[in-house]
Amino acid sequence: MSDLDDDDFSLGEEDSDDEPFAPYDEAEEDDGEEFAAASDESDAEVLEPKPKKARVSPKKPSPKKVKNPSAVKKAATPKTTAARSLQAKAPAASKKSPAAPKPKPMKAGDAEAAVLDYMRKTNRPYSLLNVFENMHRAIAKPSLTKLLDNLVAKEELVSKTYGKAKIYYMNQSNLPVPSEAERLALEEQIKDVTADCAASEQELKGVELTLSEITSQISDAGLDAALKQLDEEAATLEKKVEALDQPGRAPVSPGRKDALKRKFTKYRTAWVQRKRIAMDGVNQIADGMEKKPKAILDLVGVETDEETGIKELPTI
């Protein structure tokens, strides 16, 4: 048996590491609740958006007041006086053109006679403004109105109103009636003048035709240039003929001759076809525009064969 007892293995109260539980304290619980509430309030303050501050524009500085305006005026006065003195001394740059002399006013009797004579010579209807301008404004408008109305009252003139316009013309009953002999003489004179006019027109047409023929002909300088060019071409052709007539020259083979003929025929056929197509289009455009084909060619800028010196298409 062992000498050790159970008491040797028992733990005493002093040797126990476990401390007894502290009693429940309500004050500590209240402190915890207050801390939690404070933390919730701080979180709410963080989450709430901060109010934006309104922008305030900076105030503009008020303009500085001039302390002594009389000093400014005094400083400016010497310059102004100098400028005025220069303007007074400088001669005038441009002189006014002399005004046209005004027509002298006419007397009442002279004005009436002048207006009546003018209306008799012209024998045409005029308005008040027409008479005023044709008389070179020698009579004032109010006086001219009274004068024309007086002539109408005297049956020298006749007036008619068309809307707002009033027309004056010579009283045809006061004009002398020509006799039968005078009328026949005037008719004969009219016929003679008409015949002379027709003859002059025919003469003018003949002169214009002659002028167009002369201007269309080549000038002397152009004729000399054309003759010189033709002489050069003739000399070139003569040299070519001489080269072809040389006895030692090798003849052209029949195959090469046939190939050249076929090539010439091909290009000549294309030339004829394209020329026909182009002229058909030009003629249609000319019919639509009611113009001549030559005018359309000039408008488009097409150069014809005749303009290049080709009178007819070449053949073999």
Side-chain angles (χ1 to χ4, degrees):
M1 293 291 297
S2 173
D3 294 334
L4 298 175
D5 295 333
D6 294 332
D7 295 336
D8 295 333
F9 295 96
S10 63
L11 297 175
E13 292 179 1
E14 296 177 358
D15 297 332
S16 177
D17 295 330
D18 296 331
E19 295 181 356
F21 291 101
Y24 178 74
D25 192 359
E26 294 180 358
E28 292 180 0
E29 185 178 0
D30 294 336
D31 294 338
E33 290 178 357
E34 290 177 0
F35 177 77
S39 62
D40 293 338
E41 289 177 1
S42 62
D43 294 338
E45 290 177 359
V46 172
L47 294 175
E48 286 180 359
K50 295 181 180 180
K52 295 182 179 180
K53 295 182 180 180
R55 294 182 180 179
V56 180
S57 59
K59 295 182 179 180
K60 296 182 179 179
S62 59
K64 296 181 180 180
K65 296 182 180 180
V66 180
K67 293 182 179 180
N68 193 2
S70 61
V72 178
K73 292 182 180 179
K74 289 180 181 179
T77 48
K79 294 183 180 180
T80 54
T81 53
R84 289 176 183 174
S85 62
L86 289 174
Q87 289 178 359
K89 292 179 181 179
S94 60
K95 296 181 180 180
K96 293 183 179 179
S97 58
K102 295 182 179 180
K104 295 181 180 180
M106 301 175 65
K107 296 181 181 180
D110 297 340
E112 184 175 348
V115 171
L116 185 60
D117 183 61
Y118 173 75
M119 297 295 287
R120 185 183 293 109
K121 287 180 179 179
T122 56
N123 196 18
R124 292 177 59 185
Y126 290 110
S127 65
L128 173 64
L129 184 60
N130 296 140
V131 178
F132 177 70
E133 294 293 340
N134 294 339
M135 296 300 293
H136 305 289
R137 303 187 178 187
I139 308 170
K141 280 187 180 180
S143 303
L144 184 60
T145 305
K146 294 179 181 179
L147 190 149
L148 291 173
D149 292 338
N150 290 335
L151 290 174
V152 171
K154 294 178 182 179
E155 296 183 354
E156 295 288 345
L157 300 179
V158 179
S159 66
K160 286 188 178 181
T161 304
Y162 297 94
K164 295 182 179 180
K166 194 172 184 180
I167 305 300
Y168 299 91
Y169 58 92
M170 194 68 191
N171 191 353
Q172 302 298 309
S173 60
N174 295 337
L175 297 176
V177 179
S179 62
E180 187 67 19
E182 292 177 351
R183 186 181 64 79
L184 293 175
L186 286 174
E187 289 181 356
E188 290 294 331
Q189 187 178 358
I190 291 171
K191 289 180 181 179
D192 294 340
V193 172
T194 304
D196 293 341
C197 183
S200 300
E201 288 180 354
Q202 291 294 331
E203 185 179 358
L204 177 61
K205 288 181 180 179
V207 172
E208 288 179 349
L209 181 60
T210 305
L211 179 61
S212 62
E213 290 177 355
I214 292 172
T215 53
S216 62
Q217 292 178 359
I218 189 170
S219 61
D220 294 341
L223 184 60
D224 294 338
L227 288 174
K228 184 178 180 181
Q229 183 180 0
L230 291 174
D231 291 339
E232 292 176 356
E233 291 179 359
T236 304
L237 292 174
E238 287 178 358
K239 290 181 180 179
K240 190 174 182 180
V241 169
E242 290 177 359
L244 293 174
D245 290 341
Q246 290 179 1
R249 185 177 180 278
V252 180
S253 62
R256 179 173 174 76
K257 187 184 294 185
D258 293 338
L260 290 174
K261 285 183 178 180
R262 287 195 300 271
K263 191 174 182 180
F264 174 81
T265 305
K266 174 184 175 182
Y267 289 125
R268 188 181 185 281
T269 304
W271 186 353
V272 173
Q273 290 178 353
R274 294 186 181 187
K275 183 177 180 180
R276 184 177 64 251
I277 293 170
M279 291 308 298
D280 289 343
V282 169
N283 291 330
Q284 290 179 4
I285 295 172
D287 293 339
M289 297 179 66
E290 296 182 357
K291 291 185 177 181
K292 294 183 179 180
K294 190 176 186 319
I296 302 300
L297 292 173
D298 295 339
L299 180 64
V300 178
V302 177
E303 189 177 13
T304 60
D305 296 339
E306 291 76 10
E307 292 177 355
T308 56
I310 302 173
K311 296 181 180 179
E312 58 182 8
L313 296 179
T315 56
I316 297 177

